[in-house]
Amino acid sequence: MTVRQSIVFNGDLGSGKSTVSVEIAKRLGLRRVSVGDLYRQMAQERQMTALQLNLHAELDQAVDGYVDQLQRDIAASGESLVMDSRLAWHFFTDALKVHMITEPGEAARRVLLRPSGPAESYTSLEEAEAKLRERSESERNRFILRYGVDKARLRNYDLVCDTTRASASEVIEHIVDAYEGRLGAEVLRDAPPLLLLDPARIYPTEDIAALRGLWDSEFVGEVAEAGDEALEPLRIGYTGEYFFVVDGHRRLSAALQSGFPLVPAQLVAEVEEPVVGGLNAIDYFAANVRPSMIYDWAAAHGTALPLPEHALLGGDTVLAGEPGSGA
C-alpha cells in the first residue's frame, strides 16, 4: 500500500485556509491539525490578541518553540494528514505544500464577517486590513530572523492558489486535482510551484492593440468548453506584489472572456530572479507595464487592475481614451 503525501497549508490571513483544509481533510479521509487554532488558544490563555501574541513571540522564543516541536514530531511520525500552519512547509519535507493568497481588501472583508473572539476582533474594514498586514509582517520578520526562511517566497511551495474570486468548492476541486495528479502534474514534477491565479489580477506586459487573436471566437469557445484546468499554463513573473504575463496573453484573455476564476501558470521569475535580458522580475515589470496598457487591457476585459506605484510615478500618466491621450 502506498502512503499518501500529507498536505500542508500556509498563506495569507483571510485566504480561506481553514475552510479549505477542513473540507479537504474530510474528502480525503485525513486527520487535520490547525496550528492557528493552537495560537489563538495560547493568545486567549494569555489574555492577548493574535497580533499581540505575534509581537510577543518576536521576543519570547518559547511561544514558537512549543509549536515547532509539535510540528517536528508530527512530521517525523510519517502520518499522512492535513496541516494548517504558517510554517509546516518548513518542517514537512515530503508533503504537498499549498500556499493560499488573496487580495488584501477581500481578506479584510472576510475576517470582518466571521465570528470574532477575544484573540481576533476588528471594528472596521480599514482596521482589519491594517492589522492583518501588521500581523503578517510580524510573522514574516520573525520567521526570517529565527529560521532563515521567507514565507513570502513562492518557491517555498508546490502549489500557490489565489482565492480572491474563486469559491471554496472551486479551490478545493483544483487542489484535490493537483494532489491526485490530474492538474499541473508536469509543472509540479519539474518546475514547482504550480500557480493557480485569478486571471483578473494578472497584469499584461504588451499593448493590447499589438496582440493578435485575442478576440478569436473559435479559440475562446474552445477554451471555455475545455475549462480552466485544460488550459496550457501561462508563464508568469512575480514582483513580490504583482503577477504579470511573460508569455500567454492570448490564453489569459480567453480565460477572462470565459469567466474563469482561476488559471494555471508556471512561475518564470520572482522578485530578484532574472526574466530576460538581464532584467529581474521587479525591473521587467517596471520597464514593461504602463498605465495606458493597464487601462486598455482592463477596459477591454471588464476588469479593474490597480495602478502599481511605478506606473503612478512614471511619465505615462495619461490613460488611453482620456482627454489628451490622442485616442
Side-chain angles (χ1 to χ4, degrees):
M1 175 178 160
T2 302
V3 177
R4 292 188 293 174
Q5 275 187 309
S6 291
I7 307 179
V8 297
F9 286 88
N10 157 277
D12 294 346
L13 298 160
S15 61
K17 297 183 306 299
S18 297
T19 300
V20 169
S21 62
V22 165
E23 291 306 314
I24 285 182
K26 289 179 183 177
R27 180 159 169 174
L28 298 177
L30 299 176
R31 182 166 76 99
R32 174 182 176 270
V33 176
S34 170
V35 170
D37 290 346
L38 181 58
Y39 270 115
R40 279 185 283 273
Q41 180 183 337
M42 293 169 69
Q44 190 168 350
E45 289 171 353
R46 289 166 170 76
Q47 296 185 322
M48 295 178 173
T49 66
L51 175 58
Q52 288 169 338
L53 181 64
N54 272 344
L55 297 174
H56 174 69
E58 291 180 12
L59 304 174
D60 183 0
Q61 294 192 22
V63 174
D64 285 333
Y66 170 72
V67 177
D68 292 349
Q69 191 57 53
L70 173 66
Q71 293 183 90
R72 288 190 186 97
D73 292 343
I74 293 173
S77 74
E79 178 188 0
S80 296
L81 46 70
V82 172
M83 193 87 177
D84 178 355
S85 161
R86 304 267 192 281
L87 206 54
W89 57 269
H90 180 57
F91 296 110
F92 283 71
T93 56
D94 185 23
L96 180 69
K97 301 173 183 181
V98 179
H99 181 62
M100 294 172 59
I101 60 176
T102 197
E103 189 275 323
E106 173 62 16
R109 186 190 67 81
R110 291 174 185 176
V111 300
L112 199 61
L113 288 175
R114 69 191 183 195
S116 62
E120 188 175 30
S121 61
Y122 312 99
T123 58
S124 69
L125 192 65
E126 293 75 19
E127 182 192 16
E129 188 169 346
K131 287 192 173 180
L132 289 180
R133 185 184 306 109
E134 184 180 359
R135 185 172 152 197
S136 181
E137 281 303 306
S138 169
E139 285 184 345
R140 183 185 182 192
N141 293 334
R142 188 166 91 245
F143 294 166
I144 290 172
L145 290 172
R146 194 158 295 170
Y147 308 99
V149 297
D150 186 352
K151 70 171 190 168
R153 186 172 184 268
L154 300 186
R155 293 205 190 276
N156 290 322
Y157 312 105
D158 298 306
L159 177 62
V160 177
C161 185
D162 187 340
T163 69
T164 301
R165 290 190 307 129
S167 66
S169 61
E170 288 168 330
V171 171
I172 290 164
E173 287 299 325
H174 283 71
I175 293 175
V176 170
D177 284 348
Y179 177 72
E180 296 183 341
R182 293 185 295 274
L183 172 63
E186 186 174 333
V187 175
L188 285 168
R189 182 187 66 242
D190 299 333
L194 171 66
L195 308 178
L196 297 174
L197 301 179
D198 181 345
R201 294 220 296 148
I202 301 174
Y203 286 76
T205 55
E206 295 184 40
D207 286 308
I208 196 168
L211 294 166
R212 297 181 180 276
L214 291 190
W215 315 114
D216 181 339
S217 58
E218 183 176 350
F219 175 71
V220 173
E222 289 172 356
V223 168
E225 184 176 355
D228 62 84
E229 292 194 9
L231 195 67
E232 178 187 346
L234 311 176
R235 289 172 56 79
I236 293 290
Y238 179 56
T239 68
E241 184 174 5
Y242 304 107
F243 292 98
F244 60 89
V245 182
V246 175
D247 177 63
H249 286 86
R250 188 172 182 237
R251 300 192 299 281
L252 175 60
S253 178
L256 287 167
Q257 293 177 64
S258 301
F260 293 167
L262 293 169
V263 289
Q266 179 179 352
L267 182 65
V268 173
E270 66 174 314
V271 192
E272 298 292 339
E273 295 175 354
V275 179
V276 67
L279 290 177
N280 64 31
I282 294 172
D283 292 339
Y284 184 94
F285 184 72
N288 287 279
V289 178
R290 305 183 308 279
S292 59
M293 181 187 296
I294 296 170
Y295 176 82
D296 289 345
W297 178 271
H301 294 95
T303 60
L305 285 166
L307 289 180
E309 184 177 0
H310 83 265
L312 290 170
L313 297 175
D316 180 25
T317 54
V318 178
L319 301 182
E322 291 191 345
S325 69

